[in-house]
Amino acid sequence: MSAEPLEIHLEEQDLSRGLREDVRVGLTATPKWLPPKWFYDARGSELFEEITRLPEYYPTRAERAVLAAHADDIAELTGAKTLIELGSGSSGKTRLLLDAFTRHGDLGTFVPLDVSVSALRRSTGQIAAAYPGLRVRGIVGDFTRHLDRLPTGGRRLVLFLGGTIGNLLPVDRAEFLTATRAALEPGDWLLVGTDLVKDPSVIVPAYDDAAGVTAEFNRNVLRVINRELGADFDPEAFRHVAVWDPEHEWIEMRLRAERPVRVRVLDLDVEFAAGEELRTEVSAKFRPEGIGRELVAAGFDRQAFWTDPDGLFGVSLARAD
């Protein structure tokens, strides 16, 4: 069975409008910031895939280990008929679950949702070819805005993997979980991956690798703004910085101006003092009891929590009350 035509709820002009708004707000704020979603043009996605294979970057390997060990449990516990993946990207780890549902259930539909048309077209084609009995229905959308467009009917399992929930600030995280619950029916399920709090000596190198791939990934957001908005950032004038914040238990990626920098973007003249930093990502780390409380507050009942053998990464399976 071939993949169905993509269902598009996010047009190019929507992305352009969103980028312009984020750049205008973030670069005029104190301190300056940009949201991490603008890393992921074609080059940014390639760089991130490279990051996931680096020796320092443990989250992908650890989460994969959890899913490999417990995919059959997830299939048996949920009995899901529809699998929905938010921010699906390449859907690489999802195949572990698709294989398990093939063995244990009668999964009928896989629905990946992502902002990237090209990534979705590629991944849906690959999934449809690998699982010929599965209906594959890709949705081009933003998981913070388009949860109301998710398909209804049947028992659904929503996947939110990769620790992506950690990129949301606490208030945004609460809104997202509440909106996800509102989009589900009682008895539907949510599977969420969370990087766990651990020694910063393990966390920081995952965001500041020796080969400099993460640094290139971080600076790529400036190249995206140059290309899409006609800005004149010099990416090489900024140094990649990864900082652990023990109070909030998250890591921040920043770009630090190596010298005074003046940038023209939109109708703005944006100035950076030497040493001034632009925050490009927050990646929160979780404690098992903390993510459990957040799920309950949003209307979920956590049924299971698993970690990899080293306790680096946690996966929660929660049912909508």
Side-chain angles (χ1 to χ4, degrees):
M1 185 183 298
S2 61
E4 297 183 4
L6 297 182
E7 185 178 317
I8 297 177
H9 298 294
L10 194 65
E11 302 284 354
E12 284 297 324
Q13 58 265 33
D14 297 317
L15 290 170
S16 178
R17 189 182 308 115
L19 176 60
R20 295 169 73 91
E21 181 178 343
D22 286 342
V23 165
R24 183 178 298 281
V25 173
L27 294 187
T28 57
T30 304
K32 298 179 177 69
W33 59 272
L34 290 169
K37 64 183 176 181
W38 303 116
F39 287 135
Y40 297 97
D41 65 347
R43 177 58 177 154
S45 297
E46 290 172 2
L47 286 167
F48 184 71
E49 288 299 315
E50 189 175 343
I51 287 169
T52 65
R53 297 188 291 269
L54 292 169
E56 298 97 331
Y57 195 79
Y58 62 85
T60 300
R61 291 188 297 274
E63 185 177 42
R64 181 180 291 276
V66 178
L67 295 178
H70 297 288
D72 291 305
D73 299 324
I74 294 163
E76 291 178 358
L77 282 167
T78 65
K81 304 297 185 288
T82 298
L83 204 60
I84 299 166
E85 184 170 19
L86 306 181
S88 57
S90 65
S91 295
K93 286 172 291 192
T94 313
R95 291 180 180 237
L96 295 167
L97 293 166
L98 293 175
D99 290 342
F101 276 99
T102 299
R103 290 190 295 269
H104 291 277
D106 54 345
L107 185 72
T109 306
F110 174 55
V111 184
L113 181 148
D114 199 88
V115 297
S116 171
V117 171
S118 58
L120 263 182
R121 189 165 285 129
R122 182 171 57 252
S123 66
T124 54
Q126 292 170 346
I127 294 290
Y131 301 89
L134 190 65
R135 180 187 180 198
V136 181
R137 174 185 169 188
I139 298 177
V140 179
D142 183 333
F143 62 72
T144 65
R145 293 170 48 200
H146 297 116
L147 291 175
D148 60 338
R149 312 298 170 88
L150 298 181
T152 58
R155 184 173 296 158
R156 294 171 293 173
L157 169 60
V158 173
L159 312 177
F160 196 41
L161 301 175
T164 305
I165 194 169
N167 295 144
L168 302 176
L169 294 173
V171 63
D172 300 320
R173 204 159 64 225
E175 289 177 1
F176 165 76
L177 288 172
T178 300
T180 301
R181 173 61 191 88
L184 299 178
E185 298 292 335
D188 287 338
W189 296 82
L190 171 66
L191 188 75
V192 58
T194 47
D195 197 3
L196 300 179
V197 174
K198 60 189 73 67
D199 194 296
S201 67
V202 177
I203 298 173
V204 174
Y207 295 84
D208 193 11
D209 62 280
V213 182
T214 310
E216 187 65 15
F217 173 71
N218 197 4
R219 282 191 290 265
N220 189 64
V221 72
L222 304 182
R223 296 188 174 94
V224 169
I225 294 170
N226 283 351
R227 183 184 66 244
E228 298 298 327
L229 301 182
D232 59 357
F233 274 104
D234 175 7
E236 300 309 315
F238 291 83
R239 183 161 68 88
H240 167 69
V241 180
V243 179
W244 173 248
D245 181 333
E247 178 184 354
H248 295 101
E249 295 189 321
W250 66 42
I251 195 155
E252 292 189 9
M253 290 209 316
R254 306 172 186 170
L255 291 169
R256 179 180 295 160
E258 297 275 64
R259 54 175 171 77
V261 175
R262 184 183 180 93
V263 179
R264 182 69 180 175
V265 55
L266 302 175
D267 56 353
L268 304 172
D269 287 308
V270 181
E271 295 189 359
F272 291 82
E276 185 178 353
E277 294 177 339
L278 166 67
R279 189 183 75 193
T280 53
E281 182 178 85
V282 164
S283 184
K285 309 308 169 188
F286 294 82
R287 297 182 184 272
E289 61 275 14
I291 185 60
R293 285 193 298 268
E294 291 186 38
L295 288 165
V296 168
F300 289 97
D301 178 16
R302 187 165 68 177
Q303 298 287 299
F305 177 78
W306 302 290
T307 72
D308 61 287
D310 296 321
L312 300 173
F313 200 96
V315 174
S316 297
L317 179 64
R319 187 175 59 200
D321 282 341

